[in-house]
Amino acid sequence: MSGDGSWRRVSREGRRFLRGRYRSLRRLALWSLLESVHTFLGGYAVARALDDGFLAGRTGTGLGWLAVAGAGALLGALALRGVFAGLADLVEPLRDGLVRRSVRQAIGRAVADPGRAGDAGAVSRLTQQTEMARDSFAGLVLVARSFVFTALGALLGLAALDPVLLVLVLPALLLGTAGFLATLRPMARVQRAALDADEALSGRAGELAAGLRDVVACGGGASAGAPVERLIAEQERLTGRLARWTALRTLALGVAGRLPVVALLAGTPWLLGRGVSAGAVAGALTYLVQSLLPALDALMTAVGAAGTRLLVVLDRFCTHPSDSAAATTAPEAAPGVGAGPGVAVELRGVWFAYGPRAQPVIDGLDLTVGAGEHLAVVGPSGIGKSTLTALIAGLLPPGGGTVRVAGAPAQGVTGPGPDLRRTLLPQQAYVFTGTVRENLTHLCPGPVSGAEVERATAALGSDGLVDRLGGLDGAVDPARLSPGERQHLALTAAYLSPAPLLLLDEATCHLDLRTEERAERALATRPGTLVVVAHRISSAARADRVLVLDGTRAVCGTHAELPARSPLYRDLVGLWNARG
């Protein structure tokens, strides 16, 4: 992303933002004019107090002019109070607009590509970056406004005292300012790269946390953490570069803030020789030390830190919400691999590992699940069962091989809405604040009649729970529901979903045996395919086939034949029978 492109994009959005706020800008300008008067009186009154008062032997006149300078200070305090009162009219609308845009971007990315992982960078934009933009914008407005009107008053005062004073002051000011401006673009690039690294680190940490159990189980912690370490090292490198540019900027500030004073003092004999009065020299020094140079120092500091930071942050919000999603291309189908008739899920040579050097969690898996089939997946904790469902759901891309759902790549369907080919229910059931009806029908793209909902609750045995919650129009408070009740509502919603493929990742672990059996039997008789990560062997016994993952090989067969083919399954069945 070029710096010029960023500047044009942010400038266009900035003009649009300010266009409807001329009234607030005029209010700030009027209050700031009082600062110009205060600045002008500060140096001019000192010069007159010396030339017309103390040096001329008229003490009363000198004290009078100093009183005028004091009145100007009170005027400046009044102006500053008015400025702060009007600043909120600009700052708060900016923050509110950025929050709305951040939410729209996150929703746009999720809708454009529902299979991708959550946008972890959205959290940084919604919290840290919006507050950074608000604070930077407020500081920039304050110091820029102050500098403009302070400089106006100081330069008018220097010209009123003697125009030759500008000959000594302006060159040093312009030299320091030019050096400062030369650091703006490089620092903006470094800060943009630092924000990119921050969002990448947030995203990588979120991806790693989602599969942490499998990462630990397969011993891939070091390999999976290596990208995080590289991102941390990149942030450290960028911090060093930023510190070096800051040192150059400090040098420019020294030139602009100190050299004019040195030039004025060194040129005092020359000025006095040309007839410039001592009072005028003292007034010029007052303008520099008390007004112009502090304002310039504050402006350079604010533009250098807050200004470049504001440019980088606003550029991220100006990016179209679908940009990142559009850059993601759908995986192509492997040559010669296609789903046969009546095939719901097909995996060919699939392997997956959490990290380039980690042991694969799934290695060379071939699996075909027919349309309407009921498949149970069993294996010890951390063996890769949840990883398998995430691959089928399109939440993870395979490291090798192909995963197809209903004849298309698992991650290959994009559009304005969710992928209606499948519904995934994780162990932590999703229930939200709303009515019971909304919680049961949110997976359905169209309206659902009350009769259909009642048939579903009767089939799943959740009608008693619905009655306790006040019926279909009763309110649902997720915090007041037990984990089992939340799972019961989520299973009923899955039953009503039109998706032909249901994936249950231990979605019945909080239910008792009888409720689990009733729910699984109802979901199995529903039109479509059912894949269940089994929490109990009784779930596997009800399935048409069972896939056993044991870390070295995958074995698939019926519940009756697997004890002879898989020692792990035989042990699991024996342990279950021993427990009664």
Side-chain angles (χ1 to χ4, degrees):
M1 182 187 303
S2 69
D4 291 340
S6 300
W7 173 250
R8 286 194 297 269
R9 189 160 40 243
V10 173
S11 297
R12 182 173 60 251
E13 295 289 338
R15 289 193 299 270
R16 184 182 305 168
F17 172 76
L18 295 174
R19 194 173 296 130
R21 292 170 176 82
Y22 285 145
R23 183 176 180 180
S24 299
L25 292 174
R26 285 196 301 268
R27 182 181 177 186
L28 283 176
L30 289 174
W31 282 112
S32 299
L33 277 175
L34 293 179
E35 280 198 70
S36 296
V37 176
H38 154 60
T39 302
F40 179 86
L41 291 177
Y44 191 82
V46 168
R48 297 278 69 83
L50 286 174
D51 289 340
D52 300 337
F54 301 118
L55 294 180
R58 294 191 290 270
T59 304
T61 302
L63 293 175
W65 277 110
L66 291 181
V68 171
L74 294 177
L75 198 63
L78 178 64
L80 194 59
R81 178 180 179 275
V83 165
F84 273 103
L87 186 63
D89 294 339
L90 288 177
V91 174
E92 295 307 321
L94 174 72
R95 179 189 178 278
D96 295 342
L98 292 180
V99 168
R100 288 192 294 269
R101 181 166 295 196
S102 176
V103 173
R104 286 198 300 268
Q105 285 181 343
I107 294 175
R109 291 187 177 101
V111 171
D113 189 359
R116 67 182 297 182
D119 184 9
V123 177
S124 176
R125 289 190 294 274
L126 186 61
T127 56
Q128 177 186 1
Q129 294 183 30
T130 54
E131 293 302 321
M132 185 187 300
R134 181 180 69 170
D135 294 343
S136 300
F137 181 64
L140 198 60
V141 169
L142 278 176
V143 298
R145 170 210 56 80
S146 177
F147 172 76
V148 168
F149 289 94
T150 298
L152 176 64
L155 294 177
L156 287 176
L158 288 171
L161 293 176
D162 198 313
V164 75
L165 294 170
L166 297 174
V167 177
L168 289 178
V169 170
L170 282 181
L173 285 174
L174 295 177
L175 177 63
T177 303
F180 162 76
L181 294 176
T183 66
L184 287 180
R185 184 172 295 181
M187 287 196 73
R189 284 197 296 265
V190 175
Q191 288 182 333
R192 183 182 299 111
L195 279 178
D196 288 337
D198 179 69
E199 289 192 2
L201 181 61
S202 298
R204 181 61 184 175
E207 294 171 0
L208 186 61
L212 191 59
R213 184 181 66 177
D214 292 331
V215 170
V216 175
C218 69
S223 298
V228 177
E229 294 178 359
R230 286 195 294 269
L231 288 171
I232 294 174
E234 176 67 8
Q235 284 189 320
E236 182 180 1
R237 184 184 68 84
L238 292 171
T239 301
R241 288 184 57 191
L242 196 60
R244 290 190 291 272
W245 280 110
T246 302
L248 292 177
R249 174 166 293 165
T250 302
L251 178 62
L253 287 174
V255 172
R258 302 295 178 266
L259 194 56
V261 176
V262 174
L264 180 63
L265 294 176
T268 297
W270 177 76
L271 291 172
L272 295 176
R274 289 182 56 87
V276 178
S277 68
V281 174
L285 189 62
T286 301
Y287 282 129
L288 289 177
V289 175
Q290 292 190 355
S291 300
L292 189 58
L293 297 184
L296 179 63
D297 183 79
L299 177 68
M300 288 187 173
T301 302
V303 173
T308 53
R309 188 164 58 239
L310 181 64
L311 173 64
V312 172
V313 172
L314 291 182
D315 181 59
R316 310 187 77 78
F317 286 97
C318 293
T319 304
H320 193 273
S322 61
D323 287 351
S324 60
T328 304
T329 57
E332 297 180 358
V337 176
V343 175
V345 179
E346 186 175 39
L347 288 81
R348 288 289 178 264
V350 173
W351 71 269
F352 181 86
Y354 289 98
R357 297 181 181 84
Q359 291 295 320
V361 181
I362 295 176
D363 191 6
L365 178 61
D366 292 320
L367 176 67
T368 300
V369 183
E373 187 176 6
H374 179 186
L375 176 74
V377 183
V378 301
S381 178
I383 204 65
K385 304 185 296 295
S386 295
T387 301
L388 176 61
T389 58
L391 288 167
I392 297 174
L395 300 179
L396 292 175
T402 58
V403 181
R404 302 176 71 83
V405 175
Q411 288 193 308
V413 174
T414 59
D419 189 345
L420 297 179
R421 296 177 297 169
R422 65 220 156 182
T423 291
L424 170 65
L425 265 66
Q427 182 176 349
Q428 301 299 327
Y430 173 63
V431 179
F432 55 91
T433 301
T435 66
V436 174
R437 186 191 306 274
E438 290 169 341
N439 274 274
L440 297 182
T441 61
H442 73 279
L443 297 175
C444 303
V448 182
S449 67
E452 292 179 85
V453 178
E454 291 174 359
R455 282 194 296 269
T457 57
L460 272 292
S462 57
D463 43 3
L465 173 60
V466 172
D467 291 339
R468 289 198 304 273
L469 293 174
L472 296 180
D473 295 322
V476 173
D477 182 358
R480 294 180 176 272
L481 298 179
S482 68
E485 289 172 332
R486 289 196 291 267
Q487 284 190 337
H488 215 170
L489 290 178
L491 290 166
T492 307
Y495 183 90
L496 285 167
S497 167
L501 172 62
L502 292 184
L503 303 168
L504 308 185
D505 186 5
E506 297 193 10
T508 60
C509 63
H510 295 297
L511 302 180
D512 59 72
L513 286 171
R514 181 175 298 178
T515 305
E516 178 187 64
E517 179 179 358
R518 180 172 182 174
E520 287 185 355
R521 291 192 184 278
L523 293 172
T525 58
R526 167 189 175 277
T529 304
L530 179 63
V531 177
V532 178
V533 173
H535 180 65
R536 305 178 177 98
I537 291 298
S538 56
S539 293
R542 289 188 289 269
D544 299 327
R545 285 191 302 156
V546 182
L547 176 67
V548 183
L549 300 178
D550 63 4
T552 57
R553 64 193 184 99
V555 183
C556 193
T558 66
H559 173 68
E561 66 187 24
L562 276 177
R565 296 177 53 196
S566 170
L568 173 61
Y569 194 74
R570 183 169 59 249
D571 292 343
L572 292 174
V573 172
L575 181 61
W576 176 259
N577 291 332
R579 291 177 176 174

